[in-house]
Amino acid sequence: MTLTLTVSDEVRALAPGFTHVAVEAHGLLNGPSTDGTAALLDDAARRLAVRLDGRAPHEDPHMAAWREVYTAFGSKPSRTRNSAEALAKRALADAGLPRINVLVDLYNAVSVAHLIPVGGEDLDRVQGGMRLVRATGSEEFVTVAAGEEAVEHPDAGEVVWCDDAGVTCRRWNWRQGPRTRLTEDSTSAVFLLESLAPMPVARVEAAGAELAELLEKFSPGARITVRAPV
């Protein structure tokens, strides 16, 4: 069954230039990071360095747009960076990008290479459709703190992704909850590539197509659908 993805009118009003491309995949093969995914991450860091040409990630126009939106819903973008900016900083550091598992490595590589926030959710753990909304503050975000399960509540007005069970990602694309993250056992997933103006929609589409190709390469026979930009 195809996952329903909706963006609320309040979010559209906050960020009129928002676009997302969803890549839905079934029959995936996941597992520990490989030499192949490590090479992709290293290549993504090189592509990022060429794209930035000496600038810091937050100086890129697309990252600057995300900072403006974060500020608009009450978040401090220098402290809670969007996922692409946070990954870009790690990619440019001496330690480089983390190796997580095959599927996470693939979407992290695409995120860094294109400087686009990308997230991956385990479809078998998502309950109902997914919605991008401005929180009331009463929603539950189940996370882990000091090794123990903990429940947080987003700030009122904060932009969050949620499903029928609660918040799946806080501050738009800042921190994903452990409930729906991709593990080595995941076989079905939806990947969300998110952009703001001034990034051309064609660039987001190109990033989505690249991710789909990588998924096909690392999971031969997987059923992959790239949805049109919304």
Side-chain angles (χ1 to χ4, degrees), residues 5-21:
L5 296 165
T6 57
V7 179
S8 73
D9 291 341
E10 291 79 9
V11 172
R12 293 290 188 193
L14 179 73
F18 173 64
T19 299
H20 71 81
V21 169

Side-chain angles (χ1 to χ4, degrees), residues 22-223:
V23 180
E24 188 170 336
H26 300 270
L28 294 168
L29 302 174
N30 202 9
S33 301
T34 67
D35 290 344
T37 63
L40 283 171
L41 290 168
D42 290 341
D43 181 62
R46 288 190 289 269
R47 291 167 65 184
L48 172 68
V50 170
R51 181 184 297 276
L52 291 175
D53 191 24
R55 295 173 297 166
H58 70 268
E59 295 177 295
D60 177 85
H62 190 215
M63 295 298 94
W66 277 107
R67 284 194 166 213
E68 290 178 7
V69 168
Y70 268 50
T71 300
F73 66 75
S75 184
K76 294 183 178 180
S78 60
R79 189 168 63 186
T80 55
R81 296 178 176 88
N82 75 79
S83 64
E85 184 182 331
L87 272 178
K89 284 181 65 67
R90 298 187 71 171
L92 298 173
D94 290 340
L97 289 164
R99 277 61 169 158
I100 308 297
N101 59 53
V102 169
L103 294 179
V104 174
D105 289 355
L106 295 184
Y107 79 71
N108 278 350
V110 170
S111 175
V112 168
H114 293 269
L115 211 49
I116 294 172
V118 184
E121 307 283 353
D122 189 324
L123 284 173
D124 292 326
R125 297 175 179 271
V126 173
Q127 299 187 30
M130 291 183 62
R131 303 174 297 281
L132 187 65
V133 301
R134 301 197 69 174
T136 64
S138 63
E139 299 88 349
E140 292 190 350
F141 177 72
V142 179
T143 186
V144 176
E148 300 290 334
E149 185 176 287
V151 177
E152 298 177 355
H153 298 278
D155 300 326
E158 180 182 326
V159 177
V160 297
W161 278 103
C162 60
D163 65 2
D164 290 352
V167 174
T168 58
C169 195
R170 285 200 59 188
R171 292 177 187 151
W172 207 314
N173 46 39
W174 167 64
R175 178 151 59 100
Q176 183 187 33
R179 173 172 60 89
T180 58
R181 69 185 176 191
L182 295 173
T183 70
E184 292 182 13
D185 296 324
S186 300
T187 59
S188 295
V190 63
F191 303 90
L192 297 172
L193 298 86
E194 303 179 302
S195 73
L196 296 169
M199 175 170 279
V201 174
R203 275 186 53 190
V204 192
E205 291 181 295
E210 181 176 330
L211 178 56
E213 290 175 4
L214 289 172
L215 293 171
E216 291 171 355
K217 177 181 177 180
F218 283 82
S219 294
R223 303 181 305 281

